[in-house]
Amino acid sequence: MKRIKVVLWRFSGMAVSLLGLSVLVFVISRVLPGNPARMALGAMASEEQVDRLAAEMGLDQPLALQYGDYMVGLLAGDLGRSLQTKNPVVQDIATKLPATLELISLATVFMVAIGIPLGVLAARNRGGRLDDATRVFAFSTVSVPSFFIGIALQLVFGYYLQLFPITGRISREHAAEVTRETGFLLVDTLLSGAFAAHLNAWAHLLLPALALSFGGMGQVIRITRSSMIDVEGKEFIEATDGYGLPRWLVSYKYTLKNAFIPTLTILGLLYAWLLGGAFIIEIVYSWPGLAKYGVQSVLTSDVNAIVGVTMTIGLAFVLTNLAVDLLLNRIDPRMDLAGDAT
């Protein structure tokens, strides 16, 4: 009964957070400099044409009435029409979101596969040269701008070594082989039986995902290292050492499991943040994702797209936080869904 109450409380908190976000981003999108109707029609449009489009968009109505109409449409699954693409915003998001999800998912895999082992090695060799080298690497990944890393990877692996393509999601000669069903190119290529296109999609994905992972990788290394050092000082870890267990077994089976809670928390936050923060890498690699679409919406004052993208990212944040809480409870049953020790 208590668990059900906690879950209901979490969902009510998520609803309140999304409602507050909708109010905030709706107001901000309406007070941005520039007339959305004018920017949609261009400088050569007459004032009468601009006023007609503004009336069609409801921009001539009071702000409270505009928000009410928007929420009615939102609850019906209608986010309005994009001024830059002329398509329904829901359709644009459904088209762009899978590309970004593929990108940030592989970036998160890199964070886990590289960041956690380096954090463990740094903790096991605390104060040694390996620890110093790992900490320098972690500091560098956080400090160096992502666009610099992205361009450097393009130059080395794309231009000089010519091992990977540097733009787009798939080569033009393979695109015709794929039937778009899910929007996830790695899945659609397999469903289409186009295995050469599948490998080509992986080749396009690896460099931008690796470039995107660097900033979060440094955070994962540092948090894993500090958590490992903290747990290694606990009595039950010292007891396992007394049993004569191999050091690697103690580190990865006992210490890391208990030190993983802060790491899992930051991974969840990073995953949700990357959904909107991947726009620099998406621009560098011409990746047709949601983050790039959101930036273009801001630059063109595409108010419906701005609100739609922001609400999508906000929903991703609250759902990711809920998923992290569930995983934390699975790892450590003493943690309830509210994030407190029981």
Side-chain angles (χ1 to χ4, degrees):
M1 190 65 181
K2 178 182 177 182
R3 178 178 289 272
I4 295 177
K5 290 182 179 180
V6 171
V7 172
L8 292 176
W9 176 256
R10 287 301 306 271
F11 274 106
S12 64
M14 290 166 55
V16 172
S17 298
L18 291 175
L19 180 62
L21 176 63
S22 69
V23 174
L24 181 62
V25 71
F26 188 88
V27 172
I28 292 177
S29 68
R30 262 52 181 181
V31 300
L32 284 174
N35 186 339
R38 167 63 68 184
M39 298 189 71
L41 294 174
M44 302 302 294
S46 65
E47 289 297 328
E48 181 180 353
Q49 292 173 319
V50 173
D51 293 339
R52 187 184 304 117
L53 180 58
E56 292 176 1
M57 297 174 60
L59 298 177
D60 58 338
Q61 300 293 327
L63 192 60
L65 184 59
Q66 292 183 47
Y67 178 74
D69 291 340
Y70 182 83
M71 288 303 297
V72 171
L74 178 63
L75 294 176
D78 181 13
L79 296 175
R81 188 168 293 273
S82 169
L83 295 176
Q84 57 176 320
T85 65
K86 314 303 180 186
N87 298 324
V89 174
V90 172
Q91 178 182 328
D92 284 341
I93 291 177
T95 302
K96 306 291 184 181
L97 183 58
T100 298
L101 289 179
E102 280 188 341
L103 180 62
I104 67 176
S105 296
L106 184 57
T108 304
V109 170
F110 281 133
M111 292 181 203
V112 173
I114 300 175
I116 292 178
L118 287 181
V120 173
L121 287 175
R124 290 180 58 185
N125 297 273
R126 181 174 43 168
R129 292 183 178 180
L130 183 58
D131 183 24
D132 294 337
T134 304
R135 291 165 65 185
V136 170
F137 174 73
F139 179 78
S140 301
T141 58
V142 175
S143 303
V144 177
S146 59
F147 73 87
F148 178 84
I149 296 175
I151 294 174
L153 291 178
Q154 284 180 327
L155 288 174
V156 174
F157 295 100
Y159 180 74
Y160 291 112
L161 299 179
Q162 297 185 356
L163 296 176
F164 297 98
I166 59 176
T167 57
R169 294 182 71 191
I170 193 170
S171 298
R172 185 174 302 176
E173 61 269 20
H174 292 291
E177 305 173 15
V178 183
T179 301
R180 303 297 177 97
E181 298 182 16
T182 67
F184 295 93
L185 202 52
L186 297 178
V187 176
D188 289 341
T189 50
L190 291 178
L191 294 177
S192 302
F195 299 109
H198 180 75
L199 295 176
N200 186 260
W202 272 109
H204 280 79
L205 180 60
L206 287 175
L207 285 187
L210 182 61
L212 186 62
S213 70
F214 267 73
M217 191 186 300
Q219 298 184 50
V220 171
I221 291 172
R222 293 191 298 175
I223 291 177
T224 302
R225 175 186 179 276
S226 60
S227 299
M228 289 282 294
I229 291 175
D230 181 63
V231 173
E232 282 179 348
K234 304 295 184 181
E235 293 182 356
F236 69 94
I237 297 297
E238 295 178 355
T240 58
D241 288 335
Y243 291 134
L245 296 176
R247 187 59 186 162
W248 65 268
L249 180 63
V250 174
S251 295
Y252 283 96
K253 184 174 181 179
Y254 298 103
T255 309
L256 181 59
K257 180 180 179 180
N258 290 275
F260 192 61
I261 291 177
T263 303
L264 179 59
T265 302
I266 194 64
L267 282 171
L269 294 175
L270 285 170
Y271 186 86
W273 178 84
L274 287 178
L275 187 60
F279 68 93
I280 294 179
I281 294 300
E282 290 188 353
I283 291 174
V284 170
Y285 286 88
S286 297
W287 194 263
L290 183 69
K292 182 181 178 182
Y293 174 72
V295 172
Q296 291 172 338
S297 301
V298 173
L299 296 177
T300 57
S301 294
D302 192 349
V303 290
N304 290 332
I306 292 172
V307 178
V309 170
T310 307
M311 291 301 298
T312 301
I313 296 173
L315 180 63
F317 262 102
V318 295
L319 291 178
T320 302
N321 285 335
L322 179 61
V324 168
D325 283 346
L326 293 173
L327 288 173
L328 290 178
N329 180 257
R330 184 75 175 178
I331 294 173
D332 188 350
R334 296 173 300 175
M335 303 288 292
D336 62 22
L337 292 179
D340 300 322
T342 59

